[in-house]
Amino acid sequence: MRRAMSGILKRKFEEVEASSSPCSSLRESDDEVSCSESGDSSDSVNPSASGPFTPNSILKREKRLRTRRVHFEKVTVYYFSRRQGFTSVPSQGGSTLGMSNRHSWIRQYSLGEFALEQERIHRDMLRDHLKEEKLNSVKLKLTKNGTVESEEADTLTAEDISDDDIDLDNTEVDEYFFLQPLTTKKRRALLRSSGVKKIDVEEKHELRAIRVSREDCGC
């Protein structure tokens, strides 16, 4: 009997001790806070009493990210000599344009100098393109759209077209600039002017075979 009473008292003592723990009762509301085992620890709801809680500033973090930028000071341009290509398939003919394996010289520009150089190059290319258009227009006029022969039209070249015959000043270089396909005759002239003395004619036959195979397979 005494042993049974001691067992009951022991269970009641354990229940009272458990109910007196601050972690035993849980609030059923939405803002429930968990109990910490140590008085020194803290969470986001109950900051530590040792010092004020200071969250990280989002503005400072964005400011740090904005300062991480890449700045360019110079532009290095590598120049390569022109060689026969063997790397592309033009719509007709051969004598494709390529470049040598190693660069021939190097030049450095500031950003402003490089922008001016690009504008000058594009302007020269645009001038040549407008002269070609004017030349074709004059030839069509002399030959009456190709219906008659004209010795004058056969001897005309782009060098015969002056800058006064084209409207270069009223043309926006950046809006009008684009790469133009070159005829086989022009590609040969560019290769010869670059020092290519002998043009491999086998490339022309290889390119013709590639174009025929593309037509057969539907490319």
Side-chain angles (χ1 to χ4, degrees):
M1 184 68 178
R2 183 178 298 175
R3 185 178 299 175
M5 289 295 294
S6 62
I8 294 173
L9 292 175
K10 184 177 181 181
R11 285 197 300 272
K12 287 185 176 181
F13 177 79
E14 290 175 352
E15 292 175 359
V16 171
E17 185 179 13
S19 63
S20 63
S21 175
C23 297
S24 60
S25 61
L26 298 177
R27 296 170 58 185
E28 296 181 356
S29 60
D30 294 336
D31 56 347
E32 179 177 318
V33 180
S34 61
C35 178
S36 175
E37 294 181 358
S38 174
D40 295 333
S41 62
S42 61
D43 53 22
S44 60
V45 180
N46 293 323
S48 175
S50 60
F53 175 71
T54 305
N56 294 329
S57 175
I58 299 177
L59 297 177
K60 289 183 179 180
R61 184 168 54 192
E62 290 182 353
K63 187 176 181 180
R64 287 197 301 269
L65 292 176
R66 289 176 183 174
T67 57
R68 296 178 182 178
R69 295 179 179 178
V70 179
H71 298 279
F72 296 95
E73 296 180 354
K74 295 181 180 180
V75 178
T76 303
V77 181
Y78 294 83
Y79 293 89
F80 293 80
S81 301
R82 184 175 280 114
R83 294 289 182 267
Q84 191 171 357
F86 296 94
T87 55
S88 60
V89 182
S91 59
Q92 60 180 355
S95 306
T96 58
L97 302 178
M99 62 183 185
S100 58
N101 295 328
R102 292 186 59 84
H103 57 273
S104 55
W105 60 294
I106 304 173
R107 184 175 177 181
Q108 283 191 341
Y109 298 88
S110 65
L111 296 181
E113 292 173 347
F114 183 72
L116 293 176
E117 180 68 11
Q118 288 294 98
E119 184 179 355
R120 183 191 66 79
I121 293 174
H122 291 176
R123 193 173 184 84
D124 291 343
M125 295 179 69
L126 177 59
R127 180 186 291 107
D128 295 339
H129 177 67
L130 293 178
K131 284 187 176 183
E132 288 291 336
E133 286 186 342
K134 185 65 176 179
L135 176 63
N136 294 332
S137 176
V138 172
K139 285 185 175 182
L140 288 175
K141 186 177 181 180
L142 292 174
T143 59
K144 296 182 180 180
N145 292 331
T147 57
V148 296
E149 295 183 358
S150 173
E151 294 182 0
E152 184 181 359
D154 294 337
T155 57
L156 281 177
T157 62
E159 296 178 356
D160 297 324
I161 307 298
S162 65
D163 292 343
D164 297 333
D165 296 330
I166 59 177
D167 190 10
L168 184 62
D169 295 333
N170 295 326
T171 305
E172 291 292 337
V173 177
D174 294 335
E175 295 180 0
Y176 199 84
F177 172 75
F178 55 92
L179 294 177
Q180 294 291 326
L182 300 177
T183 62
T184 305
K185 184 178 180 180
K186 289 184 179 180
R187 294 197 298 269
R188 284 177 171 270
L190 286 174
L191 290 174
R192 290 194 177 97
S193 64
S194 300
V196 180
K197 297 180 179 179
K198 184 178 181 181
I199 298 176
D200 193 345
V201 296
E202 288 297 326
E203 184 190 33
K204 178 175 65 175
H205 304 301
E206 294 176 0
L207 294 175
R208 183 187 297 114
I210 293 175
R211 286 192 290 266
V212 171
S213 65
R214 287 181 175 180
E215 292 177 358
D216 294 340
C217 68
C219 293

